[in-house]
Amino acid sequence: MSRHVLVLNSGSSSIKFQLVAPEKDTSQPPYVSGLVERIGEDDGIVNLKFAGEKIEISEPIADHADGLSKAFALMDKHEVGPHSVEIAAVGHRVVHGGRLFSGPELINDEIIGMIRDLIPLAPLHNPANIVGIEEARKLLPDVPHVAVFDTGFFHTMPPAAALYPLNAEVASKFDIRRYGFHGTSHEFVSKQLPELLGRPAAEINQITLHLGNGASCAAIRGGQAVDTSMGLTPLAGLMMGTRTGDIDPGIIFHLYRNGMSIDEIDNLCNRQSGLKGVSGVNDFRVLQERMDAHDPDAWAAYQMYVHQLRRYIGSYMLILGRLDAITFTAGVGENHVGIRRDSMAELENFGIKIDEERNAQPNNGPRLISTDDSKVKVFVVPTNEELAIARYAMSFAH
Ligand code: AMP
């Protein structure tokens, strides 16, 4: 039986989990995946997917400990749980590693304390991540638990990219700098480029575009991140499903002075803006349906999204100086033909030429979508953050 890693992504009211066998053929779906939702409520939900089956139970879930043990019990009931397969390690997604963590860490009490010290930088995420870690350690005390940080990959960014032109004393006092997020995904995808291009990593300059519900891009030189669009928080950068991305910070003062509270502005910028704020919908599939029905708001949102994307691609081309590859990934990047076509349109002068037929193929593993004579190669590479976390965690297993 292959050794498995339990991958946990613990949020404020939900826990996503997967059992992955990272040493096996990794093109296979996870052995089991699931979601605990509405933690703390009477109508909590645990769902489970394995071997083509889908199971869902609804019952009160008191807290994260309760949610995790219900998920374990449900897996055990169907003989796909941590007591039916060999668990070699547990990998925990941790959102903010601040300046303390540049790579995955074997978790002990000291590491938990350090993740706790970073709570001011991620007040919603890190506390939930810590609860998930503590509860999982109680349930599986005999295996290594490993923290994999969303920010880790961006630790190498040079100061010119990582620092904000903010008063240095204030920036230092509050640890304000560009940390970047989605690092596990950008790293996972960018690491496949040496094989796809047949060249050593050290020689490759690339841009990775993670376009999902959240969206970010990264400039990577010789395997190391040199810039990224998200910042102190995941609100910065590209226009997203419900987040603004970059806006004039003066807008926030303006709204505040006109009577909105900080919490209202936070909610507006994080949850009521982006595609949803402009068009009413945040899911790209629905947005496309509205565009097909000639909804002008849907078209306006789409065009803004493409414009922002091109703005970042252009600036990263200059930052890198020479560009070898651009890679699209995540829900939108892997599946939306139009976004790839339109964000890459009319860039022949910059050595970028999309092959319409290749671009129109359905999502099915890593693939080239540029023409053979395109100087910059454009790829679609499916991301798999859970597998990346599982591989890291397995590297700490006995
Ligand atoms: P992610 O955060 O990577 O799971 O991406 C989620 C987003 O990807 C969804 O909100 C959709 O907008 C988008 N998406 C997923 N599947 C498709 C598809 N087949 N076509 C277009 N967009 C998609």
Side-chain angles (χ1 to χ4, degrees):
M1 183 62 140
S2 330
R3 298 193 303 163
H4 286 74
V5 174
L6 175 66
V7 179
L8 287 181
N9 181 355
S10 178
S12 55
S13 66
S14 69
I15 305 170
K16 282 189 204 150
F17 57 92
Q18 282 195 6
L19 270 174
V20 184
E23 292 161 331
K24 245 181 46 178
D25 173 8
T26 47
S27 63
Q28 298 298 315
Y31 178 65
V32 53
S33 66
L35 178 64
V36 183
E37 278 181 291
R38 300 198 202 133
I39 294 175
E41 304 200 18
D42 286 343
D43 57 348
I45 294 175
V46 184
N47 75 46
L48 212 58
K49 281 189 213 162
F50 59 93
E53 288 208 48
K54 269 187 181 177
I55 285 159
E56 184 169 300
I57 56 163
S58 179
E59 52 187 87
I61 298 176
D63 49 26
H64 283 72
D66 190 29
L68 212 49
S69 31
K70 287 198 163 102
F72 275 37
L74 193 62
M75 285 192 275
D76 279 338
K77 187 174 160 201
H78 294 277
E79 295 182 2
V80 292
H83 301 110
S84 312
V85 294
E86 186 193 341
I87 304 269
V90 182
H92 297 266
R93 179 181 182 216
V94 180
V95 168
H96 221 304
R99 299 187 65 183
L100 302 179
F101 298 107
S102 57
E105 288 282 349
L106 184 65
I107 295 172
N108 54 32
D109 293 344
E110 190 193 343
I111 296 292
I112 294 180
M114 289 164 79
I115 298 171
R116 191 167 278 125
D117 290 342
L118 294 166
I119 287 176
L121 288 173
L124 299 180
H125 292 106
N126 276 28
N129 298 155
I130 292 169
V131 176
I133 290 170
E134 288 179 329
E135 295 310 326
R137 282 178 94 199
K138 284 183 209 155
L139 287 167
L140 294 168
D142 300 325
V143 298
H145 287 246
V146 177
V148 180
F149 299 91
D150 239 26
T151 49
F153 182 56
F154 297 114
H155 223 251
T156 54
M157 283 194 301
L163 299 180
Y164 288 111
L166 187 70
N167 177 284
E169 230 171 86
V170 173
S172 159
K173 181 172 173 199
F174 295 101
D175 276 333
I176 293 176
R177 55 155 54 210
R178 182 185 298 280
Y179 292 101
F181 298 88
H182 292 145
T184 311
S185 175
H186 287 286
E187 184 175 19
F188 179 82
V189 163
S190 63
K191 274 191 166 163
Q192 297 184 42
L193 267 287
E195 196 184 328
L196 290 168
L197 290 172
R199 287 169 64 185
E203 283 178 13
I204 300 172
N205 286 358
Q206 53 174 316
I207 297 174
T208 47
L209 307 167
H210 176 109
L211 310 177
N213 269 324
S216 64
C217 49
I220 300 164
R221 179 182 289 129
Q224 299 216 316
V226 292
D227 207 349
T228 191
S229 58
M230 285 180 166
L232 173 77
T233 73
L235 179 57
L238 299 167
M239 177 175 175
M240 307 178 215
T242 65
R243 287 174 241 168
T244 53
D246 293 340
I247 56 169
D248 176 354
I251 294 169
I252 294 167
F253 311 139
H254 182 74
L255 294 172
Y256 181 71
R257 291 189 182 116
N258 280 280
M260 281 181 88
S261 72
I262 284 297
D263 286 341
E264 283 169 346
I265 300 170
D266 187 332
N267 185 50
L268 177 82
C269 293
N270 273 299
R271 282 175 283 279
Q272 308 298 334
S273 294
L275 295 172
K276 182 180 174 193
V278 176
S279 73
V281 293
N282 64 296
D283 189 307
F284 244 91
R285 287 160 289 200
V286 186
L287 187 81
Q288 186 61 54
E289 284 167 20
R290 302 253 173 117
M291 286 162 60
D292 293 343
H294 309 289
D295 174 346
D297 293 338
W299 274 101
Y302 180 81
Q303 277 156 356
M304 288 164 71
Y305 189 98
V306 170
H307 188 88
Q308 295 269 359
L309 200 49
R310 287 170 71 93
R311 180 182 277 163
Y312 266 98
I313 293 165
S315 71
Y316 285 0
M317 284 174 79
L318 278 203
I319 282 167
L320 289 168
R322 190 203 76 237
L323 180 64
D324 301 301
I326 298 176
T327 305
F328 287 84
T329 194
V332 180
E334 290 167 30
N335 294 297
H336 200 281
V337 175
I339 275 294
R340 298 193 298 259
R341 182 190 57 230
D342 295 337
S343 60
M344 300 279 101
E346 294 176 18
L347 295 178
E348 289 82 359
N349 283 341
F350 296 93
I352 300 172
K353 216 164 140 192
I354 293 292
D355 181 310
E356 291 282 336
E357 217 169 283
R358 287 176 182 167
N359 185 37
Q361 297 303 310
N363 191 21
N364 181 24
R367 63 192 197 277
L368 181 78
I369 58 164
S370 50
T371 59
D372 288 338
D373 63 347
S374 180
K375 217 168 98 227
V376 176
K377 303 297 174 203
V378 185
F379 293 95
V380 178
V381 177
T383 193
N384 191 339
E385 287 163 282
E386 289 79 11
L387 176 60
I389 292 172
R391 283 179 179 161
Y392 278 131
M394 192 59 110
S395 69
F396 289 86
H398 310 300

